């Protein structure tokens, strides 16, 4: 069962937010949500990091209305669930560049009265981590029980361990890696080129046009392909046609997903947040993974899925090998699932027990 959650909160930085690539936007608003109760000594907090298409609404419903959908990790975060709100206080921050509340390309620049559009900076994973740290400090939290996330969220988790290892007791990274493999980068680049080649994109300054970009719809179809698996595609669609038409069911499905996504998301946000994923490479940034995690001493849970095309299990295995060489506690679970990359958002029964046991173990004194 879900629960009623509080509405999103805003933290306005009057002095602005400074991006890793040098630009500053001021003022800058960061939207975040909290779930559960923070205890007296502020020691029960868990940071949950969201993926590309998600928001700070990680769990719960805002109301009991049927159309009010629960948060994207509602199957894992809640009362009596793996990340148990009876024990933990959960924070989720909408990342810079995302169109769901935090100052983004579609936000109005007070200096010009127009959307930032093409002038909005290209954020990095480090920027995402910094924005989360700012919110945590605003809440008076200086140490976390855990940091958890999947896909892009998992990449943020790993960056936290490299940048601020003293901040948390443990990390949980699912369906992610220290860098996007070249096949994933290739899919991403093709999607971004499709958006940029849309005649209505106008270099990123398209906000006078009320209709969603066809380029974003098609780019999302391409991206959505990487979240599935051959087995799930065959099971759900096969070569079946739609009714008495010549249209394949998979075509109809992609059209639906593309239009649904483009009605909610923003093309400038899509290309920027996705590019931030591609830019992160802990090997490249630190020299090698052992150096990246050399100061990390907490416990690590890595979860990968055998049919994940975007982040195959070998990406988590590389991290596990580096941590094992450092003598750092790490567990890597490769799970069999037909649902590909999206398993961490769908098959909660496969991951609930792992997360629950890991957090319970983290709560015990070190042996």
């Amino acid at each position: 069962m879900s629960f009623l959650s509080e509405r999103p909160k805003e933290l306005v930085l009057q002095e602005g937010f400074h991006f890793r690539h040098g630009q500053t936007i001021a003022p800058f608003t960061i939207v975040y949500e909290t779930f559960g109760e923070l205890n007296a000594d502020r020691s029960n907090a868990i940071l949950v990091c969201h993926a590309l298409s998600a928001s700070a609404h990680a769990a719960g419903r805002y109301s009991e209305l049927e159309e009010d959908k629960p948060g994207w990790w509602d199957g894992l975060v809640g009362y009596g669930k793996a990340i148990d709100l009876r024990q933990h206080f959960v924070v989720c921050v909408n990342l810079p560049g995302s169109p769901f509340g935090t100052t983004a390309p579609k936000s109005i620049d007070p200096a010009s009265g127009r959307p930032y559009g093409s002038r909005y900076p290209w954020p990095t994973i480090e920027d995402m981590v910094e924005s989360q740290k700012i919110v945590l400090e605003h809440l008076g939290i200086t140490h976390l029980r855990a940091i958890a996330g999947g896909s892009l969220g998992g990449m943020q988790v790993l960056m936290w361990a490299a940048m601020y290892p003293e901040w948390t007791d443990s990390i949980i990274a699912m369906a992610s890696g220290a860098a996007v493999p070249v096949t994933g980068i290739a899919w991403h680049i093709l999607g971004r080129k499709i958006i940029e080649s849309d005649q209505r994109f106008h270099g990123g300054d398209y906000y006078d046009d009320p209709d969603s970009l066809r380029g974003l719809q098609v780019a999302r179809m391409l991206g959505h392909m990487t979240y599935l698996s051959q087995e799930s595609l065959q099971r759900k669609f096969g070569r079946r046609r739609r009714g008495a038409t010549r249209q394949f069911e998979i075509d109809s499905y992609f059209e639906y997903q593309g239009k649904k996504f483009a009605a909610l998301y923003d093309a400038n946000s899509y290309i920027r947040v996705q590019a931030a994923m591609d830019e992160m490479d802990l090997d490249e940034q630190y020299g090698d993974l052992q150096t990246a995690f050399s100061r990390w001493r907490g416990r690590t849970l890595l979860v990968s899925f055998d049919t994940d095309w975007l982040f195959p299990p070998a990406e988590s295995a590389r991290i596990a090998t580096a941590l094992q060489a450092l003598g750092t506690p790490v567990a890597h679970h490769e799970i069999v699932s037909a649902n590909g990359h999206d398993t961490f958002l769908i098959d909660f029964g496969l991951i609930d027990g792992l997360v629950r046991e890991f957090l319970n173990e983290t709560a015990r004194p070190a042996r």
Side-chain angles (χ1 to χ4, degrees):
M1 293 292 292
S2 188
F3 62 97
L4 291 182
S5 61
E6 296 181 16
R7 293 281 175 174
K9 304 172 179 66
E10 292 187 352
L11 173 60
V12 180
L13 308 177
Q14 292 296 341
E15 299 301 314
F17 182 81
H18 183 69
F19 287 81
R20 180 61 60 114
H21 289 316
Q23 306 95 324
T24 298
I25 288 184
F28 191 89
T29 299
I30 303 176
V31 164
Y32 65 97
E33 293 192 28
T34 63
F35 313 89
E37 296 293 331
L38 186 62
N39 61 13
D41 62 0
R42 302 177 187 274
S43 63
N44 68 330
I46 291 178
L47 175 66
V48 165
C49 307
H50 72 77
L52 184 150
S53 59
S55 68
H57 189 47
R61 296 174 181 264
Y62 298 134
S63 72
E64 294 180 349
L65 297 175
E66 185 177 347
E67 63 269 20
D68 203 351
K69 301 299 182 183
W72 55 271
W73 238 7
D74 192 74
L76 207 64
V77 177
Y79 295 91
K81 297 177 183 178
I83 301 179
D84 195 342
L85 297 181
R86 296 174 302 185
Q87 306 169 39
H88 304 117
F89 175 72
V90 170
V91 181
C92 188
V93 180
N94 186 226
L95 52 85
S98 167
F100 298 123
T102 294
T103 300
K106 71 175 184 178
S107 302
I108 300 298
D109 177 1
S112 66
R114 297 184 60 81
Y116 286 102
S118 62
R119 295 176 294 111
Y120 191 89
W122 291 77
T124 64
I125 304 295
E126 291 95 325
D127 290 324
M128 299 171 191
V129 168
E130 292 294 349
S131 70
Q132 293 160 349
K133 184 170 178 285
I134 288 170
V135 170
L136 292 171
E137 291 172 337
H138 168 71
L139 295 172
I141 298 168
T142 57
H143 192 78
L144 296 160
R145 283 285 311 283
I147 306 175
S151 190
L152 168 60
M155 299 181 78
Q156 296 164 52
V157 169
L158 298 172
M159 185 61 79
W160 264 98
M163 291 177 65
Y164 299 113
E166 71 285 352
W167 257 80
T168 183
D169 295 328
S170 61
I171 58 173
I172 303 170
M174 301 185 189
S176 64
V180 177
V182 66
T183 50
I185 292 175
W187 285 109
H188 289 169
I189 288 174
L190 290 173
R192 294 199 290 274
K193 287 184 181 296
I194 289 170
I195 292 172
E196 292 163 353
S197 64
D198 188 320
Q199 291 184 348
R200 293 169 51 228
F201 181 65
H202 297 304
D205 297 308
Y206 49 82
Y207 293 102
D208 290 333
D209 190 333
D211 296 326
S212 63
L213 296 179
R214 178 59 177 172
L216 178 58
Q217 295 176 14
V218 178
R220 181 57 175 180
M221 296 178 204
L222 192 69
H224 196 76
M225 181 70 181
T226 67
Y227 305 150
L228 305 171
S229 72
Q230 183 174 351
E231 184 177 344
S232 65
L233 287 169
Q234 182 62 40
R235 185 183 67 243
K236 292 179 181 178
F237 310 107
R239 289 183 52 82
R240 292 188 297 278
R241 309 282 179 146
R242 187 159 184 79
T245 72
R246 298 184 65 252
Q247 184 186 29
F248 287 105
E249 285 286 359
I250 185 62
D251 180 7
S252 174
Y253 173 77
F254 278 149
E255 284 288 345
Y256 169 78
Q257 291 294 339
K259 291 174 181 176
K260 176 183 175 183
F261 180 80
L264 299 173
Y265 215 79
D266 177 55
N268 278 322
S269 290
Y270 190 80
I271 62 177
R272 280 164 171 75
V273 175
Q274 194 185 72
M277 291 180 69
D278 294 344
E279 186 173 343
M280 175 174 157
D281 186 341
L282 292 181
D283 270 305
E284 181 182 85
Q285 292 165 271
Y286 288 86
D288 56 61
L289 290 185
Q290 287 191 43
T291 303
F293 296 121
S294 60
R295 296 185 298 132
W296 171 238
R297 294 291 180 269
R299 301 177 68 247
T300 300
L301 173 62
L302 303 172
V303 182
S304 60
F305 307 104
D306 66 326
T307 54
D308 188 344
W309 285 341
L310 188 55
F311 286 105
E315 298 305 310
S316 291
R318 287 201 313 123
I319 298 166
T321 298
L323 293 175
Q324 288 164 354
L326 291 165
T328 306
V330 56
H332 174 208
H333 296 272
E334 180 181 337
I335 293 178
V336 175
S337 168
N339 287 317
H341 183 70
D342 270 354
T343 301
F344 81 98
L345 296 170
I346 299 172
D347 290 336
F348 294 114
L350 296 177
I351 57 180
D352 180 283
L354 296 175
V355 174
R356 190 185 301 271
E357 181 181 356
F358 179 77
L359 291 176
N360 288 339
E361 187 71 19
T362 301
R364 299 171 191 165
R367 289 190 289 271

